[in-house]
Amino acid sequence: MKSYDLIVIGGGSAGLTAAKTWAGCIPSKSLIASSKAAHSIQKAKELGVTVEGKVSIDMKAVKNRINANIERIYEEDDSPEALKRLGVDVIVGAAKFIDSKTLSVYFSNDNGSGDEDDVFDICANDGILIATGAKPNPPLIEGIHEVDYFTYEEAFSLDEVPKTMTVIGGGPIGCELAQAYSRLGAEVTIVASKLLPREEPDAGEVMQRVFECEGIKVTNSRVQSVEGSGGKDHTVLCQDGEKITGDLLLVAIGRVPTVTGMDLDKLGVALNDKGGIMIDNTLQTSVKGIYAAGDCTGDRQFTHYAGYQGAVGARNILLPLTDPGVLDQVPATTFTDPEVSSIGLTEKEAKAEFGDKKVAVAFQLVNETDRGICEGTKEGYIKIVYKKRGNKILGASIVSPVAGELIAEISMAMKTGLSFDMLATVMHTYPSHSFALQSMAAVVYYDKLVKSKPLLNFLKRLRL
């Protein structure tokens, strides 16, 4: 039986292998780039640029570009050959636990069956890291199986843009794909009680205005049932009585942890109330020597967080002492246009925790910033929630063309303990989008100086 210092089960970001490119960030962002190019051409006239003729979409070329990007990143970073060069063996098969240190790996023949010759055992000297990710949440909707519906896993394989598309779900995946396919020419309807419900309410309201301005219909309701005849054509009946028909149905109602098939229950590996693998702060499960990282834990489902946990999990297994693998503050970005980013507490959460009188909010509309004016930005804002005493940043919500970049600065400030007012002392280039952060912080900084004027005058008299 072959032994390894560390064995990783799974092919997601936390497992540092290829699934993150095949069914996640890379194809969706490649599709979004194509749709953004089409939208920019269509809106060029607003900036004084006239484009003659109709913008046409070659969906096969878009698909080929997506596949080329996947292949490039896979070959360079995540292929078995690339991992082999780093000293990592890749074994393709299904793993089941024999005990806390030993796995049986099962292979399938071409006909899908397996026999004793298709099984072998491997042993981990130091520990095993489970990184099996998550899968689309199966929809519990009456009549849904009468329709050949899509999830995010199949959304990038289309050879043609659908004429009419219905999206069930207003979370990040639903919003990103709805806008992308709308800009590529589909007539899109989203059915959701609200858009981006885990963000600040302001963010969902902004994106609803953006979508409606772009011709995306948003039905603020829930799905009661779906009717179809086995193909892609469908009729969605909403709880408010509205009926929506279309020729492609995308179900984007979240993802659930992948935890089955490994015989975890036989070892006593506990699950949490989200259906994920229960872990402690070091990412160790209820069984000593077995760790878990990423989406399979039921924690926040972000590629960057899963990758972070994968690295920390491996470090905690292989090296002395431990690093924390579960973080309170994790930045998130939905890559719509404008992007929607957040970290930490919302205004409502902060006031519930600390009290209304101890929490302050700084707010800036992007269309009133110098860069926003130059670019003709119509929607967006920067919102910083902080403590009145000490100006500690508690959270942020940003809707901006570059929100995913701006949130990194807030994340860094929160991580290092830099107070909001001190961002005013950090030089930002002008007129960048990030200059707005410095300007907002300057208001708080100078307000603090005004309040400190008696003390400053006293120190001045002391020649200090």
Side-chain angles (χ1 to χ4, degrees):
M1 180 170 56
K2 189 169 184 178
S3 65
Y4 296 89
D5 294 329
L6 166 68
I7 296 175
V8 179
I9 305 174
S13 180
L16 303 177
T17 53
K20 72 177 186 290
T21 62
W22 289 111
C25 291
I26 302 308
S28 66
K29 304 316 170 271
S30 299
L31 179 71
I32 289 169
S34 296
S35 68
K36 191 171 185 178
H39 183 72
S40 296
I41 295 172
Q42 293 163 353
K43 295 296 181 180
K45 189 175 181 179
E46 296 179 4
L47 300 178
V49 179
T50 301
V51 179
E52 300 293 341
K54 183 181 179 181
V55 177
S56 60
I57 307 297
D58 185 345
M59 196 60 197
K60 289 185 178 180
V62 172
K63 180 180 175 182
N64 288 340
R65 180 178 176 275
I66 291 173
N67 291 335
N69 288 346
I70 290 172
E71 188 66 23
R72 177 181 175 183
I73 294 174
Y74 175 71
E75 290 295 335
E76 291 180 0
D77 300 329
D78 298 324
S79 67
E81 294 77 15
L83 293 172
K84 186 69 175 179
R85 291 193 292 270
L86 298 174
V88 178
D89 287 348
V90 177
I91 303 172
V92 181
K96 290 189 177 183
F97 280 91
I98 297 176
D99 55 44
S100 62
K101 288 183 173 291
T102 312
L103 296 172
S104 284
V105 181
Y106 294 76
F107 299 92
S108 293
N109 292 319
D110 292 339
N111 61 8
S113 64
D115 55 43
E116 293 301 322
D117 295 333
D118 298 317
V119 182
F120 74 94
D121 297 340
I122 53 176
C123 177
N125 297 324
D126 295 319
I128 296 174
L129 177 66
I130 303 172
T132 47
K135 56 188 177 183
N137 191 15
L140 301 176
I141 301 172
E142 181 184 344
I144 189 69
H145 297 294
E146 297 177 6
V147 177
D148 185 13
Y149 67 89
F150 278 37
T151 68
Y152 68 89
E153 292 184 323
E154 301 90 24
F156 314 105
S157 61
L158 301 182
D159 291 323
E160 296 180 353
V161 177
K163 184 178 179 181
T164 54
M165 180 178 185
T166 308
V167 179
I168 299 177
I173 295 174
C175 286
E176 287 181 2
L177 292 177
Q179 188 180 47
Y181 275 106
S182 172
R183 290 180 167 189
L184 291 172
E187 185 180 318
V188 177
T189 300
I190 299 181
V191 183
S193 298
K194 59 176 63 177
L195 299 182
L196 303 176
R198 296 186 179 181
E199 300 288 343
E200 282 272 10
D202 297 331
E205 292 167 6
V206 168
M207 290 315 302
Q208 179 144 342
R209 290 198 301 269
V210 169
F211 283 0
E212 291 174 346
C213 183
E214 293 187 12
I216 301 171
K217 182 179 179 181
V218 181
T219 297
N220 295 124
S221 182
R222 292 182 178 274
V223 174
Q224 180 170 309
S225 63
V226 174
E227 296 176 357
S229 55
K232 295 182 176 65
D233 292 344
H234 60 272
T235 299
V236 174
L237 178 62
C238 301
Q239 289 182 354
D240 63 2
E242 183 176 354
K243 288 187 176 181
I244 302 164
T245 59
D247 53 26
L248 191 144
L249 178 62
L250 174 67
V251 178
I253 54 174
R255 302 160 70 235
V256 293
T258 301
V259 297
T260 58
M262 294 176 284
D263 287 345
L264 296 178
D265 53 334
K266 293 182 180 179
L267 270 69
V269 175
L271 302 182
N272 55 38
D273 57 3
K274 295 181 180 178
I277 298 172
M278 185 180 293
I279 54 173
D280 62 18
N281 191 50
T282 70
L283 303 179
Q284 187 166 229
T285 70
S286 56
V287 176
K288 185 177 180 180
I290 299 178
Y291 290 68
D295 297 351
C296 68
T297 67
D299 202 349
R300 291 148 292 183
Q301 296 179 352
F302 307 127
T303 301
H304 48 281
Y305 190 31
Y308 169 86
Q309 287 193 330
V312 171
R315 175 256 175 274
N316 288 348
I317 290 172
L318 295 172
L319 300 177
L321 306 178
T322 59
D323 282 342
V326 180
L327 303 180
D328 292 329
Q329 314 299 344
V330 179
T333 299
T334 299
F335 289 92
T336 46
D337 182 18
E339 297 173 356
V340 179
S341 295
S342 62
I343 187 171
L345 302 177
T346 64
E347 179 183 354
K348 182 178 179 180
E349 291 169 342
K351 289 182 175 179
E353 182 171 342
F354 298 102
D356 290 7
K357 296 182 179 180
K358 295 183 179 180
V359 174
V361 174
F363 189 88
Q364 174 66 61
L365 292 173
V366 175
N367 63 9
E368 294 179 356
T369 66
D370 292 358
R371 184 58 178 271
I373 292 170
C374 291
E375 295 189 347
T377 304
K378 292 182 174 62
E379 292 281 4
Y381 66 84
I382 301 173
K383 183 175 185 177
I384 311 296
V385 181
Y386 61 99
K387 275 189 173 182
K388 288 183 178 179
R389 184 172 183 178
N391 300 319
K392 177 183 178 181
I393 300 174
L394 301 174
S397 172
I398 303 176
V399 181
S400 161
V402 292
E405 314 303 326
L406 296 180
I407 203 68
E409 180 171 345
I410 302 301
S411 179
M412 176 68 75
M414 294 177 73
K415 175 69 174 178
T416 59
L418 186 69
S419 60
F420 179 42
D421 59 299
M422 293 309 293
L423 284 180
T425 67
V426 179
M427 189 64 66
H428 294 67
T429 57
Y430 177 85
S432 63
H433 282 288
S434 65
F435 190 81
L437 290 173
Q438 185 178 2
S439 298
M440 294 169 69
V443 174
V444 181
Y445 180 81
Y446 288 114
D447 182 61
K448 183 176 73 172
L449 290 182
V450 169
K451 292 178 180 178
S452 303
K453 190 174 181 180
L455 175 61
L456 295 175
N457 288 337
F458 174 73
L459 294 176
K460 187 176 180 179
R461 288 196 298 271
L462 296 177
R463 299 180 183 272
L464 294 177

